[in-house]
């Protein structure tokens, strides 16, 4: 993540002329991408959904720590945004997880595993992460 704007703490409730436009949706819909700043404070992108660039911006609400509707924090996941620079030629790594059906006590387990795997990657990389679930029968060896 690259921080593109962080509201100075010294200006109080004043408007910062260096702040990017909030780009709020008139209906209140939000992009809702999430990140954390260096201090661990969580920020949610309040820009309109499907904004056309990769910069996420979090504006203060009525109960926020700054002037309502003003951007307090902005970030990008990729420096320069998606499509700026050569596409990756990195190899694809595949990890296989196998477990017996006796460990599968919840029908939602494959989805939960897929969600957990995606959480290990940056949000902007989720489109490039493929999680496939298959069930196979493995014959047990006959002893005796």
């Amino acid at each position: 993540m690259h921080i593109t704007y962080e509201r100075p703490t010294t200006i109080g409730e004043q408007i910062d002329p260096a702040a990017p436009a909030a780009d709020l949706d008139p209906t209140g819909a939000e992009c809702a991408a999430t990140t954390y700043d260096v201090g661990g404070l969580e920020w949610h992108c309040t820009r309109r959904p499907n904004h056309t660039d990769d910069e996420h911006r979090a504006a203060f609400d009525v109960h926020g720590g700054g002037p309502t509707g003003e951007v307090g924090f902005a970030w990008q996941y990729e420096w320069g945004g998606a499509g700026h620079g050569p596409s990756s030629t990195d190899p694809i790594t595949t990890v296989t997880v196998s477990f017996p059906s006796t460990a599968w006590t919840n029908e939602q387990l494959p989805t939960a595993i897929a969600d957990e795997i995606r959480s290990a990657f940056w949000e902007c990389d989720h489109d490039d992460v493929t999680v496939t679930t298959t069930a196979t029968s493995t014959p047990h060896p006959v002893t005796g």
Side-chain angles (χ1 to χ4, degrees), residues 4-67:
T4 56
Y5 174 78
E6 192 165 13
R7 183 176 169 77
T9 57
T10 57
I11 64 173
E13 291 292 316
Q14 296 176 23
I15 304 297
D16 181 3
D23 192 24
L24 302 174
D25 186 279
T27 66
E30 297 180 347
C31 163
T34 303
T35 196
Y36 295 88
D37 64 18
V38 177
L41 185 62
E42 186 175 22
W43 293 92
H44 301 277
C45 182
T46 54
R47 289 183 76 183
R48 59 189 161 75
N50 303 317
H51 46 85
T52 57
D53 62 12
D54 292 333
E55 184 177 58
H56 297 285
R57 301 174 190 163
F60 295 110
D61 63 12
V62 175
H63 306 290

Short mmCIF file of all heavy atoms in Angstrom, two decimals, residues 4-67:
data_model
loop_
_atom_site.label_atom_id
_atom_site.label_comp_id
_atom_site.label_asym_id
_atom_site.label_seq_id
_atom_site.Cartn_x
_atom_site.Cartn_y
_atom_site.Cartn_z
N THR A 4 -1.14 8.14 -0.29
CA THR A 4 -1.09 9.28 -1.21
C THR A 4 -1.51 10.58 -0.54
O THR A 4 -1.23 11.65 -1.06
CB THR A 4 -1.95 9.01 -2.45
OG1 THR A 4 -3.29 8.72 -2.04
CG2 THR A 4 -1.40 7.84 -3.26
N TYR A 5 -2.20 10.50 0.60
CA TYR A 5 -2.57 11.70 1.37
C TYR A 5 -2.87 11.29 2.80
O TYR A 5 -3.53 10.29 3.05
CB TYR A 5 -3.81 12.39 0.78
CG TYR A 5 -4.29 13.54 1.65
CD1 TYR A 5 -3.65 14.77 1.62
CD2 TYR A 5 -5.36 13.38 2.52
CE1 TYR A 5 -4.07 15.81 2.44
CE2 TYR A 5 -5.80 14.41 3.33
CZ TYR A 5 -5.14 15.63 3.28
OH TYR A 5 -5.55 16.66 4.10
N GLU A 6 -2.37 12.09 3.73
CA GLU A 6 -2.70 11.91 5.14
C GLU A 6 -2.91 13.30 5.72
O GLU A 6 -2.03 14.15 5.67
CB GLU A 6 -1.57 11.18 5.86
CG GLU A 6 -1.94 10.71 7.24
CD GLU A 6 -0.95 9.69 7.79
OE1 GLU A 6 0.13 9.52 7.22
OE2 GLU A 6 -1.30 9.06 8.80
N ARG A 7 -4.10 13.52 6.26
CA ARG A 7 -4.46 14.84 6.78
C ARG A 7 -3.53 15.24 7.91
O ARG A 7 -3.33 14.49 8.86
CB ARG A 7 -5.90 14.81 7.28
CG ARG A 7 -6.40 16.15 7.77
CD ARG A 7 -7.87 16.05 8.16
NE ARG A 7 -8.31 17.22 8.86
CZ ARG A 7 -8.58 18.38 8.28
NH1 ARG A 7 -8.46 18.50 6.98
NH2 ARG A 7 -8.96 19.41 9.00
N PRO A 8 -2.94 16.45 7.84
CA PRO A 8 -2.08 16.91 8.92
C PRO A 8 -2.87 17.06 10.22
O PRO A 8 -4.00 17.55 10.22
CB PRO A 8 -1.58 18.28 8.45
CG PRO A 8 -1.87 18.33 6.98
CD PRO A 8 -3.02 17.40 6.74
N THR A 9 -2.31 16.62 11.32
CA THR A 9 -3.00 16.71 12.61
C THR A 9 -2.99 18.13 13.15
O THR A 9 -3.78 18.44 14.05
CB THR A 9 -2.34 15.78 13.64
OG1 THR A 9 -0.96 16.13 13.76
CG2 THR A 9 -2.48 14.32 13.22
N THR A 10 -2.17 18.99 12.61
CA THR A 10 -2.02 20.35 13.15
C THR A 10 -3.08 21.33 12.66
O THR A 10 -3.13 22.45 13.17
CB THR A 10 -0.64 20.90 12.77
OG1 THR A 10 -0.50 20.86 11.34
CG2 THR A 10 0.46 20.07 13.41
N ILE A 11 -3.94 20.95 11.71
CA ILE A 11 -4.88 21.94 11.17
C ILE A 11 -6.28 21.89 11.80
O ILE A 11 -7.15 22.65 11.42
CB ILE A 11 -4.98 21.86 9.62
CG1 ILE A 11 -5.53 20.52 9.17
CG2 ILE A 11 -3.64 22.13 8.99
CD1 ILE A 11 -5.79 20.45 7.67
N GLY A 12 -6.47 20.99 12.74
CA GLY A 12 -7.76 20.93 13.44
C GLY A 12 -8.92 20.71 12.50
O GLY A 12 -8.91 19.82 11.67
N GLU A 13 -9.95 21.55 12.60
CA GLU A 13 -11.16 21.41 11.78
C GLU A 13 -11.10 22.24 10.50
O GLU A 13 -12.09 22.35 9.78
CB GLU A 13 -12.39 21.83 12.60
CG GLU A 13 -12.73 20.88 13.73
CD GLU A 13 -13.22 19.51 13.23
OE1 GLU A 13 -14.04 19.47 12.30
OE2 GLU A 13 -12.77 18.50 13.78
N GLN A 14 -9.96 22.83 10.21
CA GLN A 14 -9.82 23.64 9.00
C GLN A 14 -9.85 22.74 7.76
O GLN A 14 -9.51 21.57 7.82
CB GLN A 14 -8.51 24.41 9.01
CG GLN A 14 -8.39 25.43 10.11
CD GLN A 14 -7.00 26.08 10.09
OE1 GLN A 14 -6.33 26.09 9.08
NE2 GLN A 14 -6.59 26.62 11.22
N ILE A 15 -10.21 23.33 6.64
CA ILE A 15 -10.18 22.63 5.35
C ILE A 15 -8.74 22.65 4.86
O ILE A 15 -8.09 23.68 4.87
CB ILE A 15 -11.10 23.33 4.32
CG1 ILE A 15 -12.54 23.44 4.85
CG2 ILE A 15 -11.05 22.62 2.98
CD1 ILE A 15 -13.22 22.12 5.09
N ASP A 16 -8.26 21.50 4.42
CA ASP A 16 -6.90 21.41 3.88
C ASP A 16 -6.96 21.57 2.37
O ASP A 16 -7.51 20.70 1.68
CB ASP A 16 -6.28 20.06 4.25
CG ASP A 16 -4.86 19.90 3.76
OD1 ASP A 16 -4.31 20.86 3.17
OD2 ASP A 16 -4.29 18.81 3.96
N PRO A 17 -6.41 22.65 1.81
CA PRO A 17 -6.47 22.84 0.36
C PRO A 17 -5.68 21.77 -0.41
O PRO A 17 -5.90 21.57 -1.60
CB PRO A 17 -5.88 24.23 0.14
CG PRO A 17 -5.17 24.58 1.39
CD PRO A 17 -5.74 23.75 2.50
N ALA A 18 -4.77 21.07 0.26
CA ALA A 18 -3.98 20.02 -0.40
C ALA A 18 -4.71 18.68 -0.43
O ALA A 18 -4.25 17.74 -1.08
CB ALA A 18 -2.64 19.86 0.31
N ALA A 19 -5.84 18.58 0.24
CA ALA A 19 -6.57 17.31 0.29
C ALA A 19 -7.22 17.02 -1.05
O ALA A 19 -7.72 17.92 -1.72
CB ALA A 19 -7.65 17.37 1.37
N PRO A 20 -7.23 15.75 -1.46
CA PRO A 20 -7.92 15.40 -2.70
C PRO A 20 -9.44 15.54 -2.52
O PRO A 20 -9.93 15.54 -1.39
CB PRO A 20 -7.53 13.94 -2.94
CG PRO A 20 -7.15 13.42 -1.59
CD PRO A 20 -6.62 14.58 -0.82
N ALA A 21 -10.15 15.63 -3.63
CA ALA A 21 -11.61 15.71 -3.57
C ALA A 21 -12.16 14.41 -3.00
O ALA A 21 -11.64 13.33 -3.26
CB ALA A 21 -12.17 15.95 -4.97
N ALA A 22 -13.22 14.51 -2.23
CA ALA A 22 -13.79 13.33 -1.58
C ALA A 22 -14.44 12.37 -2.57
O ALA A 22 -14.45 11.17 -2.34
CB ALA A 22 -14.79 13.75 -0.51
N ASP A 23 -14.98 12.88 -3.67
CA ASP A 23 -15.60 12.04 -4.71
C ASP A 23 -16.68 11.13 -4.11
O ASP A 23 -16.73 9.94 -4.38
CB ASP A 23 -14.52 11.22 -5.42
CG ASP A 23 -15.03 10.55 -6.69
OD1 ASP A 23 -16.02 11.04 -7.27
OD2 ASP A 23 -14.44 9.53 -7.09
N LEU A 24 -17.56 11.72 -3.30
CA LEU A 24 -18.63 10.96 -2.67
C LEU A 24 -19.78 10.74 -3.65
O LEU A 24 -20.06 11.58 -4.49
CB LEU A 24 -19.15 11.71 -1.44
CG LEU A 24 -18.12 12.01 -0.35
CD1 LEU A 24 -18.73 12.87 0.74
CD2 LEU A 24 -17.54 10.74 0.22
N ASP A 25 -20.45 9.61 -3.53
CA ASP A 25 -21.60 9.30 -4.36
C ASP A 25 -22.82 10.00 -3.77
O ASP A 25 -23.02 9.97 -2.55
CB ASP A 25 -21.81 7.78 -4.36
CG ASP A 25 -22.90 7.36 -5.32
OD1 ASP A 25 -24.09 7.45 -4.94
OD2 ASP A 25 -22.57 6.93 -6.43
N PRO A 26 -23.64 10.65 -4.59
CA PRO A 26 -24.81 11.35 -4.06
C PRO A 26 -25.81 10.44 -3.34
O PRO A 26 -26.56 10.90 -2.49
CB PRO A 26 -25.47 12.00 -5.29
CG PRO A 26 -24.67 11.61 -6.47
CD PRO A 26 -23.51 10.79 -6.02
N THR A 27 -25.79 9.14 -3.66
CA THR A 27 -26.72 8.22 -3.00
C THR A 27 -26.16 7.67 -1.69
O THR A 27 -26.85 6.97 -0.97
CB THR A 27 -27.03 7.01 -3.91
OG1 THR A 27 -25.84 6.23 -4.09
CG2 THR A 27 -27.58 7.46 -5.25
N GLY A 28 -24.88 7.97 -1.42
CA GLY A 28 -24.25 7.46 -0.20
C GLY A 28 -23.55 6.14 -0.39
O GLY A 28 -22.96 5.60 0.53
N ALA A 29 -23.59 5.57 -1.60
CA ALA A 29 -22.90 4.31 -1.89
C ALA A 29 -21.39 4.53 -1.77
O ALA A 29 -20.90 5.61 -2.08
CB ALA A 29 -23.26 3.81 -3.27
N GLU A 30 -20.68 3.51 -1.32
CA GLU A 30 -19.25 3.63 -1.10
C GLU A 30 -18.49 2.46 -1.71
O GLU A 30 -19.00 1.35 -1.79
CB GLU A 30 -18.93 3.68 0.40
CG GLU A 30 -19.52 4.87 1.10
CD GLU A 30 -19.20 4.90 2.59
OE1 GLU A 30 -18.72 3.88 3.14
OE2 GLU A 30 -19.42 5.95 3.20
N CYS A 31 -17.24 2.72 -2.07
CA CYS A 31 -16.34 1.68 -2.55
C CYS A 31 -16.06 0.69 -1.41
O CYS A 31 -16.09 -0.50 -1.60
CB CYS A 31 -15.04 2.32 -3.02
SG CYS A 31 -13.64 1.20 -3.18
N ALA A 32 -15.76 1.20 -0.24
CA ALA A 32 -15.58 0.42 0.99
C ALA A 32 -14.30 -0.42 1.05
O ALA A 32 -14.19 -1.29 1.89
CB ALA A 32 -16.79 -0.44 1.30
N ALA A 33 -13.31 -0.16 0.17
CA ALA A 33 -12.01 -0.82 0.34
C ALA A 33 -11.48 -0.39 1.71
O ALA A 33 -11.78 0.71 2.19
CB ALA A 33 -11.05 -0.39 -0.76
N THR A 34 -10.73 -1.25 2.35
CA THR A 34 -10.27 -0.99 3.71
C THR A 34 -8.76 -1.10 3.81
O THR A 34 -8.15 -1.94 3.15
CB THR A 34 -10.92 -2.00 4.68
OG1 THR A 34 -12.33 -1.90 4.55
CG2 THR A 34 -10.55 -1.72 6.11
N THR A 35 -8.16 -0.25 4.65
CA THR A 35 -6.74 -0.36 4.95
C THR A 35 -6.49 0.18 6.35
O THR A 35 -7.41 0.66 7.01
CB THR A 35 -5.88 0.39 3.91
OG1 THR A 35 -4.53 -0.04 4.02
CG2 THR A 35 -5.97 1.90 4.09
N TYR A 36 -5.25 0.09 6.78
CA TYR A 36 -4.83 0.62 8.07
C TYR A 36 -3.67 1.57 7.85
O TYR A 36 -2.79 1.31 7.04
CB TYR A 36 -4.38 -0.51 9.01
CG TYR A 36 -5.50 -1.45 9.37
CD1 TYR A 36 -5.79 -2.55 8.57
CD2 TYR A 36 -6.28 -1.22 10.50
CE1 TYR A 36 -6.82 -3.40 8.89
CE2 TYR A 36 -7.32 -2.07 10.82
CZ TYR A 36 -7.59 -3.17 10.01
OH TYR A 36 -8.62 -4.01 10.32
N ASP A 37 -3.67 2.69 8.59
CA ASP A 37 -2.54 3.60 8.50
C ASP A 37 -1.40 3.09 9.38
O ASP A 37 -1.53 2.06 10.04
CB ASP A 37 -2.94 5.05 8.82
CG ASP A 37 -3.41 5.26 10.26
OD1 ASP A 37 -3.13 4.42 11.14
OD2 ASP A 37 -4.05 6.29 10.50
N VAL A 38 -0.30 3.81 9.40
CA VAL A 38 0.88 3.39 10.14
C VAL A 38 0.59 3.23 11.63
O VAL A 38 1.13 2.34 12.29
CB VAL A 38 2.03 4.39 9.91
CG1 VAL A 38 3.26 4.01 10.71
CG2 VAL A 38 2.37 4.46 8.43
N GLY A 39 -0.30 4.04 12.15
CA GLY A 39 -0.66 3.97 13.57
C GLY A 39 -1.67 2.88 13.90
O GLY A 39 -2.04 2.70 15.05
N GLY A 40 -2.15 2.16 12.88
CA GLY A 40 -3.10 1.07 13.11
C GLY A 40 -4.56 1.47 13.00
O GLY A 40 -5.44 0.66 13.23
N LEU A 41 -4.84 2.74 12.65
CA LEU A 41 -6.22 3.21 12.51
C LEU A 41 -6.80 2.66 11.20
O LEU A 41 -6.18 2.75 10.15
CB LEU A 41 -6.27 4.73 12.51
CG LEU A 41 -7.64 5.38 12.48
CD1 LEU A 41 -8.44 5.01 13.73
CD2 LEU A 41 -7.50 6.90 12.39
N GLU A 42 -7.99 2.09 11.28
CA GLU A 42 -8.64 1.52 10.10
C GLU A 42 -9.35 2.62 9.31
O GLU A 42 -10.03 3.46 9.88
CB GLU A 42 -9.64 0.44 10.52
CG GLU A 42 -10.26 -0.29 9.37
CD GLU A 42 -11.16 -1.43 9.81
OE1 GLU A 42 -11.64 -1.43 10.96
OE2 GLU A 42 -11.37 -2.33 9.00
N TRP A 43 -9.20 2.58 7.98
CA TRP A 43 -9.84 3.54 7.08
C TRP A 43 -10.65 2.77 6.05
O TRP A 43 -10.22 1.73 5.55
CB TRP A 43 -8.80 4.39 6.36
CG TRP A 43 -8.04 5.31 7.26
CD1 TRP A 43 -6.85 5.03 7.89
CD2 TRP A 43 -8.40 6.63 7.64
NE1 TRP A 43 -6.46 6.12 8.63
CE2 TRP A 43 -7.39 7.12 8.50
CE3 TRP A 43 -9.47 7.46 7.34
CZ2 TRP A 43 -7.41 8.39 9.05
CZ3 TRP A 43 -9.50 8.74 7.90
CH2 TRP A 43 -8.49 9.19 8.73
N HIS A 44 -11.83 3.31 5.67
CA HIS A 44 -12.69 2.71 4.65
C HIS A 44 -12.85 3.72 3.52
O HIS A 44 -13.13 4.89 3.77
CB HIS A 44 -14.08 2.39 5.22
CG HIS A 44 -14.03 1.45 6.37
ND1 HIS A 44 -13.97 0.09 6.21
CD2 HIS A 44 -14.02 1.67 7.70
CE1 HIS A 44 -13.92 -0.49 7.39
NE2 HIS A 44 -13.95 0.45 8.31
N CYS A 45 -12.70 3.26 2.29
CA CYS A 45 -12.86 4.14 1.14
C CYS A 45 -14.31 4.58 1.03
O CYS A 45 -15.22 3.76 0.92
CB CYS A 45 -12.42 3.46 -0.15
SG CYS A 45 -12.54 4.53 -1.60
N THR A 46 -14.51 5.89 1.05
CA THR A 46 -15.87 6.45 0.98
C THR A 46 -16.18 6.99 -0.41
O THR A 46 -17.24 7.57 -0.63
CB THR A 46 -16.04 7.57 2.02
OG1 THR A 46 -15.00 8.55 1.84
CG2 THR A 46 -15.99 7.02 3.43
N ARG A 47 -15.26 6.80 -1.36
CA ARG A 47 -15.51 7.24 -2.73
C ARG A 47 -16.66 6.42 -3.33
O ARG A 47 -16.99 5.34 -2.86
CB ARG A 47 -14.28 7.04 -3.60
CG ARG A 47 -13.16 8.01 -3.29
CD ARG A 47 -12.00 7.83 -4.23
NE ARG A 47 -12.30 8.41 -5.54
CZ ARG A 47 -11.48 8.34 -6.58
NH1 ARG A 47 -10.33 7.69 -6.48
NH2 ARG A 47 -11.80 8.89 -7.72
N ARG A 48 -17.21 6.95 -4.39
CA ARG A 48 -18.28 6.25 -5.10
C ARG A 48 -17.79 4.88 -5.56
O ARG A 48 -16.60 4.70 -5.82
CB ARG A 48 -18.77 7.07 -6.28
CG ARG A 48 -17.71 7.39 -7.29
CD ARG A 48 -18.20 8.40 -8.34
NE ARG A 48 -17.07 9.02 -8.99
CZ ARG A 48 -16.31 8.43 -9.91
NH1 ARG A 48 -16.56 7.21 -10.29
NH2 ARG A 48 -15.30 9.08 -10.46
N PRO A 49 -18.68 3.91 -5.62
CA PRO A 49 -18.27 2.58 -6.11
C PRO A 49 -17.77 2.68 -7.54
O PRO A 49 -18.18 3.55 -8.30
CB PRO A 49 -19.56 1.77 -6.05
CG PRO A 49 -20.45 2.50 -5.11
CD PRO A 49 -20.08 3.95 -5.22
N ASN A 50 -16.88 1.80 -7.90
CA ASN A 50 -16.35 1.72 -9.26
C ASN A 50 -15.67 3.02 -9.72
O ASN A 50 -15.79 3.40 -10.88
CB ASN A 50 -17.46 1.33 -10.26
CG ASN A 50 -18.10 0.03 -9.88
OD1 ASN A 50 -17.43 -0.91 -9.51
ND2 ASN A 50 -19.41 -0.02 -9.93
N HIS A 51 -14.98 3.69 -8.78
CA HIS A 51 -14.25 4.88 -9.23
C HIS A 51 -13.22 4.44 -10.26
O HIS A 51 -12.75 3.31 -10.26
CB HIS A 51 -13.63 5.66 -8.07
CG HIS A 51 -12.89 4.84 -7.05
ND1 HIS A 51 -11.59 4.48 -7.18
CD2 HIS A 51 -13.30 4.32 -5.86
CE1 HIS A 51 -11.21 3.78 -6.13
NE2 HIS A 51 -12.24 3.66 -5.31
N THR A 52 -12.88 5.34 -11.17
CA THR A 52 -12.12 4.95 -12.36
C THR A 52 -10.61 4.93 -12.17
O THR A 52 -9.89 4.55 -13.08
CB THR A 52 -12.46 5.87 -13.53
OG1 THR A 52 -12.18 7.22 -13.15
CG2 THR A 52 -13.92 5.72 -13.91
N ASP A 53 -10.10 5.33 -11.02
CA ASP A 53 -8.67 5.21 -10.76
C ASP A 53 -8.46 4.35 -9.52
O ASP A 53 -9.42 3.91 -8.89
CB ASP A 53 -8.01 6.58 -10.63
CG ASP A 53 -8.54 7.39 -9.46
OD1 ASP A 53 -9.26 6.84 -8.61
OD2 ASP A 53 -8.23 8.58 -9.37
N ASP A 54 -7.22 4.08 -9.19
CA ASP A 54 -6.91 3.15 -8.10
C ASP A 54 -6.72 3.82 -6.75
O ASP A 54 -6.33 3.16 -5.80
CB ASP A 54 -5.64 2.36 -8.44
CG ASP A 54 -5.87 1.42 -9.61
OD1 ASP A 54 -7.02 1.00 -9.80
OD2 ASP A 54 -4.90 1.12 -10.31
N GLU A 55 -6.96 5.12 -6.67
CA GLU A 55 -6.78 5.79 -5.38
C GLU A 55 -8.05 5.67 -4.54
O GLU A 55 -9.14 6.01 -4.98
CB GLU A 55 -6.43 7.26 -5.55
CG GLU A 55 -6.14 7.92 -4.21
CD GLU A 55 -5.72 9.36 -4.34
OE1 GLU A 55 -6.49 10.16 -4.91
OE2 GLU A 55 -4.62 9.68 -3.87
N HIS A 56 -7.88 5.16 -3.35
CA HIS A 56 -8.98 5.08 -2.40
C HIS A 56 -8.88 6.26 -1.45
O HIS A 56 -7.78 6.66 -1.05
CB HIS A 56 -8.91 3.76 -1.61
CG HIS A 56 -9.07 2.57 -2.49
ND1 HIS A 56 -10.27 2.18 -3.01
CD2 HIS A 56 -8.15 1.68 -2.96
CE1 HIS A 56 -10.11 1.10 -3.76
NE2 HIS A 56 -8.82 0.78 -3.74
N ARG A 57 -10.02 6.84 -1.08
CA ARG A 57 -10.05 8.02 -0.20
C ARG A 57 -11.08 7.81 0.89
O ARG A 57 -12.18 7.35 0.63
CB ARG A 57 -10.40 9.27 -1.00
CG ARG A 57 -9.44 9.53 -2.13
CD ARG A 57 -9.89 10.68 -3.00
NE ARG A 57 -9.05 10.74 -4.19
CZ ARG A 57 -9.38 11.40 -5.28
NH1 ARG A 57 -10.52 12.07 -5.35
NH2 ARG A 57 -8.56 11.41 -6.31
N ALA A 58 -10.70 8.15 2.10
CA ALA A 58 -11.60 8.02 3.24
C ALA A 58 -11.94 9.41 3.75
O ALA A 58 -11.06 10.15 4.22
CB ALA A 58 -10.94 7.20 4.34
N ALA A 59 -13.22 9.77 3.63
CA ALA A 59 -13.68 11.08 4.10
C ALA A 59 -14.28 10.94 5.50
O ALA A 59 -14.79 9.88 5.87
CB ALA A 59 -14.73 11.65 3.14
N PHE A 60 -14.18 12.00 6.27
CA PHE A 60 -14.75 12.01 7.62
C PHE A 60 -16.26 12.07 7.54
O PHE A 60 -16.83 12.73 6.68
CB PHE A 60 -14.25 13.23 8.41
CG PHE A 60 -12.77 13.21 8.66
CD1 PHE A 60 -11.93 14.09 8.02
CD2 PHE A 60 -12.22 12.30 9.55
CE1 PHE A 60 -10.56 14.09 8.27
CE2 PHE A 60 -10.85 12.29 9.81
CZ PHE A 60 -10.02 13.19 9.16
N ASP A 61 -16.93 11.37 8.46
CA ASP A 61 -18.38 11.48 8.56
C ASP A 61 -18.70 12.45 9.70
O ASP A 61 -17.81 13.08 10.26
CB ASP A 61 -19.04 10.12 8.75
CG ASP A 61 -18.64 9.43 10.05
OD1 ASP A 61 -18.03 10.06 10.93
OD2 ASP A 61 -18.96 8.23 10.18
N VAL A 62 -19.95 12.56 10.05
CA VAL A 62 -20.39 13.51 11.08
C VAL A 62 -19.66 13.28 12.40
O VAL A 62 -19.35 14.22 13.11
CB VAL A 62 -21.92 13.42 11.27
CG1 VAL A 62 -22.39 14.31 12.40
CG2 VAL A 62 -22.63 13.78 9.98
N HIS A 63 -19.35 12.04 12.71
CA HIS A 63 -18.71 11.73 13.99
C HIS A 63 -17.22 11.44 13.82
O HIS A 63 -16.60 10.83 14.68
CB HIS A 63 -19.40 10.52 14.64
CG HIS A 63 -20.88 10.72 14.79
ND1 HIS A 63 -21.42 11.60 15.67
CD2 HIS A 63 -21.92 10.15 14.12
CE1 HIS A 63 -22.74 11.57 15.56
NE2 HIS A 63 -23.07 10.70 14.63
N GLY A 64 -16.65 11.86 12.70
CA GLY A 64 -15.24 11.57 12.41
C GLY A 64 -14.28 12.50 13.12
O GLY A 64 -14.67 13.35 13.92
N GLY A 65 -13.01 12.37 12.81
CA GLY A 65 -11.98 13.15 13.46
C GLY A 65 -11.57 14.38 12.70
O GLY A 65 -10.49 14.92 12.92
N GLY A 66 -12.41 14.87 11.80
CA GLY A 66 -12.12 16.05 11.00
C GLY A 66 -13.40 16.60 10.40
O GLY A 66 -14.49 16.14 10.72
N PRO A 67 -13.27 17.59 9.52
CA PRO A 67 -14.46 18.19 8.92
C PRO A 67 -15.25 17.19 8.07
O PRO A 67 -14.68 16.46 7.27
CB PRO A 67 -13.91 19.30 8.03
CG PRO A 67 -12.46 19.41 8.32
CD PRO A 67 -12.04 18.19 9.05
#
